[in-house]
Each structure stands twice: as structure tokens, then as C-alpha cells.
Amino acid sequence: MEMQASQALSLLNAKAVRERSHMLLELGLQGELEHFAVDLSHLAEAARRTLAATDNTYPDRQIPFHARWRQFETGGIDRWGMLAGARRFSDVQGMGRAACDLAIVSALLDAAAGEHWTYREAITNETFKHSEGLAIGSLAMFSAGFFSHEPLDPLRADAITLFRLDKDELAEGLQITEKNQLIGLDGRLSLLNRLGEAVSLRDDLFGKEDEPRPGGLFDILYEEGQKGPLDAERILELVLDGLGPIWPNREQIDGVILGDTWRHSKVTTQDKTTNLVPLHKLSQWIAYSLVEPLSWAGIEMANIDGLTGLAEYRNGGLFLDTGVLRLKDPKQSLNKHEVSSELVVEWRALTIALLDKLADWIRADLSVSRDQLPLACVLEGGSWAAGRQIALEKRGDGSPPLMIISDGTVF
């Protein structure tokens, strides 16, 4: 049984994501994939666009890490800074727990919103769409105590409140109406409800206070960080361990839920993990977003590049729209695809591997090291913004080059 459990756990880390993604890239370069052809001669164009997006947003090349905090700062407003400053936390642990509560809940709401949903921010009276709208909407909900069980302590997300959250409440918080529809609302609600349940069942990870909360992870990471630099992969390890049960209808090995892990027939091994491709997009998005609260609390971080790129449609769209990837059957661009389809799994895995290639290309072009330009900065600068920009150029509504059937739990 221990060996079987270790087989499952072998997929619950960033190394497995990177290894299996590069396995598919090598097959793509050999022309052996069914759905995509890979042409690295177009990587220069993807890099050019990434650098242009970086220079537009960060002309001084002082690029922060890709994380949820960037979208909380949309429009140049440090919303979290103002909120935390007004709250005046008594210690760094209190601030860290609250920041981790916010980052985890907000990241889980961050699947694609669709083209017809917007969020109007009351303070600025500005309207936002997509990831920015979901970030600002979730921050407003958090600041109002939407996820708190304690009226006098609004800046928290308690397990019991998350578990009891209903569809009408979430719809109200995100300003959803018949004319302002958000895709995947049921899936997002299910994630938050299951998050509450998972947190309540794992007092070893989340229960160091009277009321268990996702931000309880901060206490463990903060304590480990007192002993020396904290490896970013350790953050992901805890996120995958604690949040594993929240993902619906996913692959399992001997009862261990594998989260954002899917099947692809070309990935073969000699054990129970054969044909399985881990991607862990939202979990890695959470891990990236927990780095800063730990840094604010004085924890030294290490191996940020141990995490991988994110297997989502902006990064993936960049490679399709620049020709690094090409559909072998162009008609597939007219169809809607399930996230579990081999075509989508292939696209997402190739995206992760190609982001590593893109980062190496850009570092060589700029004559900088991996330490000077981590992958997290390439993503932020970066590839995500470039993917959005080329989508707007090629398709006026900014939609991705492939249509995905989203349930609000993956993309």
C-alpha cells in the first residue's frame, strides 16, 4: 500500500508536471502527437511579443512575480495594502493568515469568466472583466466579511462559512444577474464549499486556531521558514495535500485524488501512473500567490523556478497564435472541447514545457541568469499579457484560439 501511495504522490508535485509536459513536447518535436505540431522556429515571435508586453508594463524591468496580488493592484491601486493597513494586524502571523485566506479563495474563483460578465467596483466606479474583475470582486467580498464567521473579524475565510455558502450569496457577491452571467458559477461554488469541508477535516494543516481556515497553511510555512529558506515547491506540496479533496470527479490512484491530472495515451510508464499528466494550474496559481505573504512576513524564499508555468488559455493561446503550436486538424478550432479531452491535455502540457523554452530564450536574448529573471517574472511580464494581446488582435473579443467547455474549476 505504501508503494501505491507513493505512486500517487509522485504526481502531486511540480517536478512531475514539468517532466511529463516535456515528455509530450519531445513527442511533439518528433511529430508523434495526434493533435498538435510543434515548430520552435516561431518561438522568437512569441518571445518578441512577451518582451514587448513586459516593456509596456514594466519599462524599468523591475518585474514582480506572477501572482493574484498583481490583479488586486489593477489600475495602480494597492487595494490589499490599504485594506491591511486599515486593519492594523497585531502581528505578522495575523496578516499572513488573512492574506493566505484571500489568495486561496480568490484563486479558486479565478477560472475563465466568459465574455459577458463584468464587475463594477463601488469605490472607483470602474468596471472590470475577466481575471481582474474576479480578483477585485473577491477582494471586495473578503473585505466585507463575506467569508468570515466572526462579525468583528471580517478579514478571514472560515471553513464553516465556506461550507455553507450558497449560490445566491455567491451570485450577489459577484454581481451576477440574468444580464450579467458568469460561466461556471456552480463549479466555483462547489470548490468553495468543498474547500470549507476539506479545511475542517485537516486540523493538522488548517486547525491551529479555534476556527479552521485555509490561511492556517501560513502557520506551518512560517514555522518551517524560521529554519532556513523555504522552497517554493514545499508550498505547492502543502496546497496539493490539503486541497486534494476539493476537485470534482478527478483521477485517483488507490483513493488518492490527483487534482488537475488528466489522461493522455502517449505518456506511458511502468506503474499505475501510466497515461496520467499532472498540470495543477490553480494549485500552482495559489502557490505563486502565497510566496508574497510569506516574504512580507520575513521568510526567505528559495527555488521559485521549481514551480512551472501555468497551463491556461492565455499562455497556451500565445503559442497557438504565434504558430509555435499548430493544430494538425484545423477544423478542431471550430469545435468546443472538454478539458478532459486528449487535445486539451496535450495543449496544456505543451504550454508548460514551451514556457520553459520561452523563458530560456528570453534570458539568452537579455543575457541574464535564471536568478535574475525567474519564470514567475516571465509569466508576469510577460507571456500571459502577450497571450491576451494577440488574442485581441486576431479575434476582436479576445477569446482564446480554442474553445473550452469550462465548469469553473480548471481554466
Side-chain angles (χ1 to χ4, degrees):
M1 181 61 73
E2 288 185 8
M3 180 175 293
Q4 293 172 347
S6 68
Q7 289 181 24
L9 294 177
S10 73
L11 298 178
L12 295 177
N13 57 74
K15 287 185 177 68
V17 174
R18 182 165 272 122
E19 288 172 359
R20 300 213 171 183
S21 294
H22 278 274
M23 190 183 302
L24 281 170
L25 177 59
E26 288 305 311
L27 290 171
L29 291 171
Q30 296 164 22
E32 295 181 12
L33 293 178
E34 181 178 347
H35 301 288
F36 289 96
V38 182
D39 186 348
L40 293 184
S41 70
H42 291 281
L43 193 61
E45 174 62 9
R48 183 191 69 79
R49 283 184 168 274
T50 300
L51 284 169
T54 301
D55 289 340
N56 181 61
T57 308
Y58 302 104
D60 59 359
R61 296 271 171 87
Q62 299 300 305
I63 312 164
F65 291 156
H66 193 53
R68 195 57 161 158
W69 307 100
R70 304 292 77 76
Q71 285 145 354
F72 294 146
E73 298 163 357
T74 296
I77 302 171
D78 184 4
R79 294 171 178 82
W80 168 251
M82 292 189 294
L83 184 61
R87 175 66 174 80
R88 296 181 182 177
F89 293 102
S90 59
D91 55 26
V92 294
Q93 286 96 327
M95 179 279 296
R97 290 184 208 107
C100 288
D101 277 343
L102 171 61
I104 291 170
V105 169
S106 185
L108 291 178
L109 288 170
D110 193 33
E115 300 302 319
H116 306 294
W117 175 82
T118 61
Y119 182 88
R120 186 184 66 80
E121 185 179 30
I123 296 176
T124 63
N125 203 33
E126 291 190 32
T127 298
F128 302 94
K129 300 177 66 175
H130 305 305
S131 244
E132 292 83 355
L134 289 165
I136 292 168
S138 58
L139 178 60
M141 293 162 68
F142 185 78
S143 67
F146 200 90
F147 307 106
S148 174
H149 189 56
E150 302 290 339
L152 298 180
D153 188 10
L155 302 188
R156 54 187 295 138
D158 293 302
I160 189 170
T161 305
L162 292 166
F163 180 72
R164 291 176 176 174
L165 189 67
D166 65 35
K167 187 174 180 179
D168 289 341
E169 290 173 320
L170 186 57
E172 180 182 359
L174 293 175
Q175 301 178 356
I176 297 169
T177 66
E178 288 186 8
K179 296 182 179 180
N180 190 39
Q181 289 293 313
L182 175 73
I183 64 173
L185 178 62
D186 290 335
R188 293 171 215 266
L189 175 64
S190 176
L191 282 184
L192 294 186
N193 293 156
R194 293 164 72 103
L195 173 65
E197 182 180 17
V199 167
S200 69
L201 294 175
R202 291 294 303 272
D203 56 4
D204 59 319
L205 292 179
F206 304 109
K208 291 199 171 183
E209 291 189 284
D210 292 337
E211 293 285 348
R213 53 195 285 200
L217 283 181
F218 178 86
D219 291 319
I220 295 175
L221 294 165
Y222 182 80
E223 185 176 332
E224 291 184 6
Q226 304 304 309
K227 304 169 187 174
L230 182 66
D231 196 302
E233 287 190 70
R234 173 59 175 160
I235 302 176
L236 179 62
E237 178 184 318
L238 284 182
V239 169
L240 289 171
D241 182 17
L243 272 57
I246 77 173
W247 309 108
N249 304 317
R250 298 294 171 80
E251 296 287 344
Q252 300 184 25
I253 293 179
D254 299 311
V256 178
I257 299 173
L258 301 177
D260 188 5
T261 297
W262 310 87
R263 293 195 169 271
H264 194 290
S265 59
K266 297 285 187 178
V267 175
T268 57
T269 64
Q270 300 304 310
D271 60 14
K272 288 189 175 184
T273 70
T274 192
N275 300 146
L276 292 175
V277 180
L279 301 167
H280 303 315
K281 184 261 180 177
L282 283 176
S283 295
Q284 292 204 82
W285 185 222
I286 289 171
Y288 276 122
S289 298
L290 298 189
V291 167
E292 282 171 74
L294 289 159
S295 297
W296 298 334
I299 301 302
E300 182 182 354
M301 301 303 304
N303 191 31
I304 300 297
D305 261 19
L307 301 175
T308 76
L310 300 180
E312 48 80 53
Y313 68 93
R314 290 303 182 201
N315 288 315
L318 173 66
F319 295 122
L320 263 176
D321 283 335
T322 55
V324 180
L325 294 178
R326 176 179 55 81
L327 280 167
K328 289 187 173 180
D329 179 3
K331 293 180 181 177
Q332 292 287 11
S333 64
L334 304 176
N335 301 329
K336 288 188 175 183
H337 303 276
E338 297 281 356
V339 293
S340 59
S341 69
E342 199 160 279
L343 183 146
V344 172
V345 175
E346 202 169 285
W347 181 38
R348 297 181 72 205
L350 290 170
T351 295
I352 288 173
L354 287 169
L355 284 167
D356 283 343
K357 297 285 188 185
L358 178 71
D360 287 341
W361 197 102
I362 290 174
R363 292 182 192 117
D365 185 62
L366 298 178
S367 299
V368 297
S369 68
R370 185 181 298 269
D371 289 339
Q372 291 172 307
L373 189 67
L375 176 59
C377 295
V378 175
L379 296 172
E380 174 58 29
S383 60
W384 191 88
R388 172 181 277 184
Q389 180 59 39
I390 195 171
L392 285 168
E393 292 173 17
K394 288 183 171 288
R395 296 167 298 279
D397 63 356
S399 58
L402 281 178
M403 293 183 286
I404 310 298
I405 300 170
S406 176
D407 65 356
T409 70
V410 179
F411 277 91

